[in-house]
Amino acid sequence: MIIINKLLKKIIDSPLGWIPILVYLIALTVNLSFVIISGPNMGYDSSTYFGTADTLLSGGSVKASVMLLYGGYIGVVALAKIIAGETANYVWLTIIFQATLSASIPVMLYLSGKTIRPDSNSCIMAGLSLFLGVGCFDHILWARYILTESIFVTLMVLASYSIVRGIYTGTWWTAFIIGILMFPFRPSSQMVLPLVAIVWIWWFIASRKGFNNRQFLVQIMATVYIVFCLLVVYAWLTKNPPSGDGIIVKFVQMFKVPYDNGVVVWDRPHTYHSPSEDMGDYMLLTLDRFYHMFRFHYSEHSFIHKVFNWIYFPIYYLIALFGVYQLLTRSNGFSYKDYLLVWNIFLWINVFSLFYAFQGLSYGWRYQLSNMPAIWLLAIFSIAICSGFSIKRR
């Protein structure tokens, strides 16, 4: 008990104080309340995770590709089975773990804001972090599913926070370790480590040669140009599918049928296009999927779901865009670190949006969650450094 009291005193007396603890407890209460009331839900891939976990626990062999792509989450399910035994309790234990883990998201957003601007108003930063991390119905919704989404998004926020620490404090080792640990949670998580490396390289160059708004604009335009070129190349490859066994060849062949059939969001026929015939059709379809990575309203949503989304997303997007507007219109007040951070966010959003746009989206806002950590971070940046709330009241 004495050790716990000393630890609590050390936390409370730290420069960050008690606010992160309070933020976590509020988020934990909301998350646990939701998953307990709603109960566990199964998705299309849930049976695969259960079956593979059983195979592992029985000493059977599992394909290396499955473990490489999803081994992290399969390990979570297997551990829940070990702790709870072969009863339905392990399903409950899994979603409670997911809800408990994802409650750390607003804490990491808060810490990101305080790293970007240490003198930012703590109460405003805590309130915004809670709004972003707990107020999103779509994010909490997936915490009750035996799927990778909840843990993946939490790890993405952790990676984003680690990058913030790298850019603003020069501490990069955590970002690289997290990038490595994220590899076996789902295919898209394997893009994190290369992205961390790209940001580190630019940070290393900029810290020695400087970085200004002109270079920031050049990076943005270069990214847009590369995205456009990828759209053209992928449209051509889809229309004229190559043969062979390469990764890109298999990827194109795997998702050609949804392209040919005009699928935008799976199981939402009103989003579909007419069957694609020429390169223009393929490019337009990809752009529509790209747009749907940010769309938050569907007729299939319940009334409560629609209300929550219309309250949350317009505010969420506007706050995030405010920071970009400030960077583009203000000629001073920003360091090379600020420009690097926002360019990194822009890069991540484009990479993940394009990755899923090339495939077809699954069940509106399951895959779109991949973008949320980057946009959350952009909103935190906006308030931390651009809004005029950054200096504590004296």
Side-chain angles (χ1 to χ4, degrees):
M1 194 67 182
I2 296 175
I3 295 175
I4 295 175
N5 288 335
K6 287 184 177 179
L7 180 61
L8 287 174
K9 186 176 186 303
K10 186 175 181 180
I11 293 172
I12 292 172
D13 292 341
S14 71
L16 293 173
W18 52 267
I19 291 181
I21 300 173
L22 180 60
V23 167
Y24 179 77
L25 291 176
I26 293 173
L28 181 63
T29 301
V30 174
N31 287 5
L32 287 179
S33 299
F34 181 82
V35 299
I36 289 172
I37 291 171
S38 62
N41 281 254
M42 302 297 157
Y44 179 79
D45 297 324
S46 300
S47 58
T48 301
Y49 302 138
F50 288 139
T52 309
D54 288 336
T55 302
L56 279 177
L57 294 175
S58 64
S61 61
V62 179
K63 289 182 178 180
S65 59
V66 173
M67 291 304 295
L68 177 64
L69 297 177
Y70 302 102
Y73 191 75
I74 292 168
V76 170
V77 175
L79 183 60
K81 281 176 170 281
I82 293 172
I83 296 173
E86 289 298 327
T87 66
N89 290 335
Y90 75 84
V91 178
W92 276 98
L93 182 60
T94 303
I95 66 167
I96 288 174
F97 170 74
Q98 291 176 174
T100 303
L101 186 66
S102 65
S104 65
I105 287 176
V107 177
M108 289 185 285
L109 294 175
Y110 172 82
L111 295 176
S112 297
K114 298 300 287 185
T115 303
I116 294 168
R117 181 57 66 88
D119 60 356
S120 59
N121 187 294
S122 298
C123 293
I124 291 174
M125 193 59 60
L128 177 63
S129 300
L130 280 168
F131 169 74
L132 295 173
V134 178
C136 181
F137 185 80
D138 281 281
H139 168 58
I140 298 179
L141 182 71
W142 287 104
R144 63 180 181 168
Y145 279 83
I146 307 298
L147 294 170
T148 60
E149 272 63 41
S150 180
I151 295 179
F152 169 71
V153 172
T154 305
L155 291 175
M156 284 280 285
V157 176
L158 180 58
S160 299
Y161 169 51
S162 299
I163 288 175
V164 170
R165 291 185 71 240
I167 291 174
Y168 286 88
T169 70
T171 306
W172 282 97
W173 64 270
T174 50
F176 281 101
I177 289 177
I178 292 164
I180 294 171
L181 293 177
M182 284 186 66
F183 255 70
F185 274 90
R186 61 191 286 179
S188 55
S189 65
Q190 297 180 10
M191 296 188 293
V192 171
L193 184 59
L195 288 170
V196 169
I198 290 171
V199 180
W200 176 80
I201 290 170
W202 273 108
W203 171 84
F204 183 80
I205 295 171
S207 63
R208 282 151 179 78
K209 295 187 176 181
F211 194 84
N212 55 36
N213 60 341
R214 180 175 298 179
Q215 291 164 311
F216 170 71
L217 288 173
V218 169
Q219 282 190 330
I220 295 294
M221 290 187 290
T223 304
V224 172
Y225 176 74
I226 292 171
V227 168
F228 175 77
C229 290
L230 289 173
L231 283 173
V232 174
V233 171
Y234 195 78
W236 186 87
L237 288 173
T238 308
K239 181 172 171 52
N240 307 280
S243 58
D245 296 322
I247 295 176
I248 295 177
V249 172
K250 289 183 177 179
F251 187 92
V252 172
Q253 291 173 344
M254 184 183 301
F255 297 107
K256 178 173 172 55
V257 173
Y259 260 100
D260 290 341
N261 294 332
V263 175
V264 178
V265 181
W266 286 101
D267 293 339
R268 300 198 191 282
H270 60 85
T271 67
Y272 292 9
H273 290 209
S274 301
S276 302
E277 296 180 359
D278 53 36
M279 278 188 59
D281 294 333
Y282 288 110
M283 289 184 64
L284 184 61
L285 182 60
T286 304
L287 287 171
D288 197 12
R289 290 173 177 173
F290 198 100
Y291 153 72
H292 275 79
M293 287 290 290
F294 306 92
R295 179 177 174 177
F296 58 86
H297 56 93
Y298 290 98
S299 57
E300 293 87 350
H301 286 167
S302 67
F303 175 75
I304 295 297
H305 196 159
K306 291 176 182 175
V307 169
F308 270 103
N309 281 9
W310 275 104
I311 292 174
Y312 180 85
F313 279 96
I315 299 174
Y316 159 66
Y317 284 144
L318 286 173
I319 294 175
L321 289 172
F322 178 74
V324 178
Y325 171 77
Q326 290 291 311
L327 278 177
L328 294 175
T329 57
R330 283 169 53 178
S331 59
N332 53 33
F334 298 104
S335 69
Y336 73 90
K337 299 175 182 179
D338 301 326
Y339 288 111
L340 278 176
L341 176 64
V342 176
W343 171 74
N344 168 60
I345 292 170
F346 183 78
L347 177 67
W348 278 48
I349 290 171
N350 276 277
V351 166
F352 283 99
S353 296
L354 206 59
F355 178 75
Y356 288 114
F358 285 159
Q359 303 175 49
L361 308 183
S362 174
Y363 308 110
W365 277 97
R366 181 184 175 191
Y367 289 167
Q368 289 93 315
L369 286 172
S370 301
N371 272 339
M372 295 209 73
I375 306 177
W376 281 336
L377 184 57
L378 183 56
I380 289 293
F381 170 84
S382 295
I383 296 302
I385 206 166
C386 303
S387 66
F389 295 127
S390 58
I391 305 300
K392 291 180 179 178
R393 293 178 181 175
R394 300 184 181 278

